[in-house]
Amino acid sequence: MNMSATPAMLVVGVGEALYDILATGDVFGGAPVNFAVQARQLLDRYGPDRSRVAVATRVGDIDLGRGMEMQLISRGLETRAVQRDPLRPTGTATVSLVDGDPHFTIMTDVAWDYCQIDDAWRSLAAGASAVCYGTLGSRSPASAVAIESFLKKATTAVRLFDVNLRAPYYSANLVRRLCGMATMVKDNERELGIVADALAVPPGASSVRMAKLREAASLEAVILTRGTDGASIVTATGVRSAPACTFPAAANADAVGAGDAFCAAVVVGRLLGWSISQTLEVACETAGFVASQQGATPRLPG
């Protein structure tokens, strides 16, 4: 592929930013942040020069928040749309592992619950090639307004709704609204049922519900991840599937961030015009590697 002929891109993760509190230590994260870090790495490998990756979020104006910004910059991300909150702390989530799968206890009333649509956010939205967002970032009314305003301004962007449900921070109404602003939706088996029900898609096999969900929400694609059983994408041309990719597990490996890495590869593949088969292959490979490592944003292998 001739990357010199491919225009520069701007990829944005919008929503929550937090520190994952793990037994092995604290690491920066949040789904939009994890997505952005992996999109940066994948664009460095496959994408055109001058491509940009940014995070639109809000952190506390104290040590944790400033530390977050420094780490984002160190990973090559733009932070001009990272707002600082003088009153509230940077978010945290305590992560416990059950059979290797992460479970989250998420702090409430934190900085990212008070995101605002400001000039930096408007500028990013207007220039975005792709945006990834989920339900958690919109759990508060203030941030829901800001994120939906951002999406309304990102009219030319690929808009990937990574459903990423975290009880009790979602509703059928929120799912419908965010699905209606997407061009692509990514979910797992449990989330597919909840999203399909929210859009009144009748029961059926997963592939059938995916196809009907795509039609009901006028989507380009619906993506389903199945963990060790791989992943599928439904588009107007049908269903494509790929097996999971596994790697030897590192010490203290966890699956945190694997889904976010998958989303990053889907977005990069979509922007670079890859085939669905190539996109799925790279997405499963990237997610499998992250699941074999500790933390959500490991350095990808060369």
Side-chain angles (χ1 to χ4, degrees):
M1 183 179 293
N2 181 8
M3 293 304 178
S4 63
T6 306
M9 300 164 183
L10 171 59
V11 176
V12 184
V14 59
E16 70 273 15
L18 50 83
Y19 277 86
D20 288 322
I21 311 301
L22 299 159
T24 52
D26 303 347
V27 293
F28 74 99
V33 171
N34 300 336
F35 161 85
V37 170
Q38 303 300 4
R40 176 72 276 164
Q41 294 195 83
L42 290 166
L43 283 171
D44 286 343
R45 178 183 300 177
Y46 300 110
D49 294 338
R50 303 180 310 281
S51 292
R52 300 156 52 205
V53 182
V55 175
T57 188
R58 191 174 181 92
V59 298
D61 192 15
I62 50 179
D63 288 347
L64 272 182
R66 296 189 182 199
M68 171 82 73
E69 286 190 63
M70 291 176 63
Q71 292 190 70
L72 297 180
I73 291 169
S74 75
R75 301 301 293 269
L77 305 183
E78 293 186 9
T79 60
R80 61 193 175 97
V82 177
Q83 301 166 357
R84 289 186 178 180
D85 193 307
L87 302 176
R88 301 168 188 90
T90 300
T92 60
T94 302
V95 184
S96 58
L97 299 178
V98 179
D99 296 328
D101 293 324
H103 294 256
F104 301 88
T105 302
I106 304 168
M107 185 178 178
T108 58
D109 198 39
V110 293
W112 59 262
D113 288 313
Y114 296 88
C115 292
Q116 301 172 8
I117 184 74
D118 59 10
D119 289 344
W121 278 43
R122 292 186 187 95
S123 176
L124 271 188
S129 306
V131 181
C132 185
Y133 63 98
T135 52
L136 183 58
S138 293
R139 70 178 179 179
S140 72
S143 287
V145 168
I147 290 170
E148 290 178 40
S149 296
F150 186 101
L151 295 171
K152 288 175 183 176
K153 294 180 182 299
T155 54
T156 62
V158 174
R159 298 179 298 280
L160 175 57
F161 176 29
D162 177 15
V163 179
N164 201 24
L165 299 177
R166 296 285 182 261
Y169 304 120
Y170 66 89
S171 66
N173 182 51
L174 177 63
V175 168
R176 282 192 295 271
R177 294 203 318 269
L178 295 179
C179 196
M181 305 181 84
T183 61
M184 299 192 292
V185 169
K186 175 258 179 189
D187 44 24
N188 59 31
E189 290 273 16
R190 181 181 69 88
E191 292 166 344
L192 173 62
I194 293 170
V195 175
D197 288 346
L199 274 75
V201 173
S206 294
S207 60
V208 174
R209 294 200 97 184
M210 290 168 70
K212 290 184 177 180
L213 174 61
R214 191 191 71 82
E215 294 172 358
S218 301
L219 297 165
E220 175 184 326
V222 174
I223 304 152
L224 181 67
T225 54
R226 296 189 177 94
T228 56
D229 291 328
S232 300
I233 298 181
V234 168
T235 66
T237 60
V239 184
R240 299 287 181 86
S241 299
C245 187
T246 58
F247 293 81
N252 299 315
D254 59 68
V256 178
D260 308 323
F262 186 98
C263 288
V266 167
V267 163
V268 169
R270 169 64 176 77
L271 292 179
L272 294 179
W274 293 350
S275 68
I276 294 174
S277 295
Q278 182 182 5
T279 298
L280 271 177
E281 178 182 348
V282 174
C284 288
E285 181 181 70
T286 307
F289 178 78
V290 171
S292 75
Q293 302 297 302
Q294 180 184 350
T297 55
R299 304 279 180 176
L300 300 180

